[in-house]
Amino acid sequence: MRKIHVREIQTAIVNAIKNIHYHIRPDLKAALQQAGETEASPLGRQAIKLLLENAKMAAAGVHPLCQDTGMTILFVEMGQEVNVIGGDLEAALQAGVRQATEEGRLRHSISVHPFKRVNTGDNTPAVVHYQIVPGKGCKIYVMAKGGGSENASVSAMLLPSAGDTGVQDFVVNAVRENGAASCPPLILGIGVGGSFDTAPWLAKKALLRPIGQASSDVETAELEKIILEKINTLGVGPQGWGGSTTALSVAIETAPCHIVSMPVAVNFECHSHRLAEVKL
Amino acid sequence: MSGVWLQLPLDKKALQDIKIGEWVNLTGSLYTARDEALKRIHALVTEGKQPPIDLKEQLIYFVGPTPPAPGEPVGSAGPTTSRRMEPFLPAILDAGVVAVMGKGPLSKTTVADFQRRGVIYLSAAGGAGAFYGAKVHGAAVVAYEELGPEAIYSLKVENFPAVVAIDLKGGNLFEQGPQAYRKE
Ligand code: SF4
């Protein structure tokens, strides 16, 4: 068994969180730069230029990329040959979020209870998804998810007969309705299949893929392309001010599902897209 | 951004000629407010009471900044979603506010109300919190200190750019902008 101390995990989480709020991802930066050249609207191009300027300012380490420093989402992929020692894994992860919030000067954006709007005061708890995988590795995706784009996300149980065109319509309609308020240009994660709860989980997992990386399944990759093209004909544009760049990328994850069901979910992600992959 | 210079607090005359899609550069003092603070003002105004600050001719910016770095007035300070504030807007407009700034579209009812009252809506670039934070040169809590980042602050801004999204001529950028680029 490989041993990993919880302290090591906590330190890695702290560094990753502090980093994603001040440094834009290279794949995102490249996608924005490209959009800055291809965007049809002058105002849209100016908006993208401003976002790239924003990234430059954030890199100085004084002001985070966005004031909504979000809810922390962790996807933990733990090798089954790993023995976590030195304490409670979940507690270490949450302690990492707490420490990064303090040291990174992040905003406190979590309420204790959905009805009692009292702030937890330290951005905990993070949402943690665990997966046991073969091997000795430990990989943790760290995401800071803003509320504006999360609020635009939707899921539904479509009829199996709706097929892939049903999914296209569902996603395109969601962007038409809610795209402008979730800080476009967007990144869209789509989940199709599984049970009721699987689709939104897959949609969020789809956001972990590097921007522009197509699905390894040829048909799914084709569907990603079609949906992206359709979304960019809506005219919403950067910031919703009108233009040809409403989304930068679309990623779809699928899972087997019941013969009578077709769960679908789309998770909206904004251009802030604060995400890192930690390997231990 | 090149565009129209606007001194804060606003002179209503200066708002007459600005058009949707134009950049304005704000310099001067504005007030911040969002969900909870607006809810409280709404409650006061509905009861016929005075809000804790004089809102006449003021611009309200929907924002909840991150904690400041040492020596800085604010941290990251970009706009939050304006639509969430809609239930409280009539109250702050009754109290004299002449412009609001946030991100994203507003409903048809609100657009019509703004146009009837002669109120403009500025759309700041959502997600540009670092950029905007650096345009803030002073911050002081003026009401509801207990709300932390959601308290009402007076912010001193300089050369703070935003796009006109609802003007006084019946324009609504969130409708007309996308219409011009729709290719469905
Ligand atoms: S949607 Fe994203 S970019 Fe926009 S304010 Fe929220 S976190 Fe920031």
Side-chain angles (χ1 to χ4, degrees):
Chain A
M1 285 294 251
R2 175 184 171 207
K3 287 185 171 50
I4 303 181
H5 200 285
V6 283
R7 232 179 6 237
E8 207 185 316
I9 296 174
Q10 182 173 333
T11 305
I13 294 292
V14 171
N15 292 338
I17 295 176
K18 279 160 63 182
N19 193 52
I20 57 177
H21 286 287
Y22 290 92
H23 300 281
I24 186 176
R25 289 170 56 88
D27 57 343
L28 174 62
K29 189 175 170 190
L32 283 173
Q33 278 166 338
Q34 204 198 327
E37 284 167 25
T38 56
E39 169 55 49
S41 145
L43 192 54
R45 288 196 297 275
Q46 288 159 9
I48 291 169
K49 210 172 125 198
L50 196 151
L51 297 179
L52 288 164
E53 177 72 22
N54 182 65
K56 215 184 281 171
M57 308 265 344
V62 178
H63 308 92
L65 283 160
C66 183
Q67 76 291 335
D68 182 357
T69 51
M71 184 167 208
T72 312
I73 318 286
L74 303 172
F75 279 89
V76 179
E77 294 179 5
M78 189 67 78
Q80 64 185 30
E81 290 166 51
V82 175
N83 182 5
V84 177
I85 57 165
D88 185 297
L89 173 60
E90 171 85 23
L93 295 171
Q94 302 295 356
V97 172
R98 197 173 296 120
Q99 190 185 335
T101 299
E102 172 74 29
E103 293 176 9
R105 297 183 309 276
L106 306 181
R107 202 181 71 184
H108 303 158
S109 308
I110 308 301
S111 284
V112 169
H113 185 279
F115 302 144
K116 298 183 202 96
R117 291 277 156 180
V118 178
N119 203 296
T120 63
D122 59 10
N123 260 344
T124 64
V127 172
V128 191
H129 301 282
Y130 295 97
Q131 251 185 307
I132 303 293
V133 297
K136 291 188 173 67
C138 168
K139 182 151 85 176
I140 305 174
Y141 288 96
V142 180
M143 184 185 236
K145 192 67 180 70
S149 52
E150 197 72 352
N151 278 352
S153 307
V154 275
S155 65
M157 303 301 281
L158 301 184
L159 294 174
S161 60
D164 68 333
T165 50
V167 172
Q168 285 177 32
D169 292 347
F170 176 75
V171 175
V172 173
N173 286 337
V175 177
R176 188 186 290 115
E177 267 166 46
N178 295 320
S182 28
C183 291
L186 307 167
I187 297 154
L188 295 162
I190 300 166
V192 190
S195 54
F196 171 70
D197 50 315
T198 319
W201 178 78
L202 285 173
K204 186 151 263 111
K205 237 180 133 69
L207 293 176
L208 305 179
R209 223 193 278 160
I211 293 173
Q213 184 184 308
S215 165
S216 53
D217 176 73
V218 182
E219 277 172 38
T220 307
E222 185 56 28
L223 186 59
E224 289 170 347
K225 227 175 106 198
I226 293 170
I227 293 179
L228 179 61
E229 278 169 16
K230 281 199 171 173
I231 286 169
N232 285 332
T233 63
L234 290 175
V236 175
Q239 298 294 334
W241 296 340
S244 57
T245 319
T246 301
L248 297 171
S249 80
V250 168
I252 304 175
E253 294 293 332
T254 61
C257 59
H258 195 286
I259 49 172
V260 304
S261 307
M262 190 157 75
V264 53
V266 52
N267 197 187
F268 282 58
E269 169 71 319
C270 51
H271 63 74
S272 251
H273 195 44
R274 292 145 302 184
L275 168 72
E277 190 183 321
V278 173
K279 276 193 184 134
L280 286 161
Chain B
M1 295 296 160
S2 60
V4 184
W5 290 87
L6 284 182
Q7 186 67 41
L8 300 168
L10 291 163
D11 174 359
K12 261 199 122 167
K13 275 193 259 104
L15 306 180
Q16 289 301 329
D17 295 322
I18 58 174
K19 291 192 296 288
I20 57 163
E22 259 178 355
W23 288 93
V24 293
N25 288 292
L26 306 170
T27 296
S29 293
L30 53 78
Y31 287 129
T32 70
R34 51 178 293 170
D35 311 68
E36 185 59 30
L38 290 175
K39 194 171 154 189
R40 292 188 187 185
I41 294 178
H42 167 83
L44 287 172
V45 173
T46 322
E47 286 168 31
K49 293 185 187 146
Q50 288 297 315
I53 45 167
D54 184 5
L55 292 174
K56 264 195 209 75
E57 313 266 280
Q58 292 298 327
L59 183 151
I60 299 278
Y61 180 29
F62 306 138
V63 61
T66 60
E72 294 288 328
V74 291
S76 189
T80 190
T81 307
S82 304
R83 196 169 262 177
R84 248 185 10 255
M85 316 306 162
E86 289 194 305
F88 316 122
L89 292 182
I92 63 166
L93 301 184
D94 284 348
V97 166
V98 291
V100 299
M101 179 162 67
K103 75 169 170 94
L106 288 166
S107 72
K108 283 204 167 65
T109 321
T110 300
V111 174
D113 191 35
F114 274 33
Q115 285 168 346
R116 190 176 54 79
R117 295 176 186 254
V119 170
I120 64 164
Y121 173 43
L122 301 176
S123 173
F131 176 88
Y132 285 123
K135 303 279 181 197
V136 177
H137 298 281
V141 180
V142 291
Y144 307 138
E145 183 160 14
E146 65 281 11
L147 295 179
E150 292 203 38
I152 298 183
Y153 283 83
S154 167
L155 296 186
K156 262 177 74 184
V157 300
E158 227 177 278
N159 197 7
F160 189 110
V163 170
V164 179
I166 298 177
D167 63 20
L168 303 186
K169 301 169 195 299
N172 176 8
L173 178 65
F174 286 101
E175 238 183 76
Q176 283 145 268
Q179 244 161 39
Y181 292 93
R182 190 168 295 148
K183 288 215 173 68
E184 277 185 272

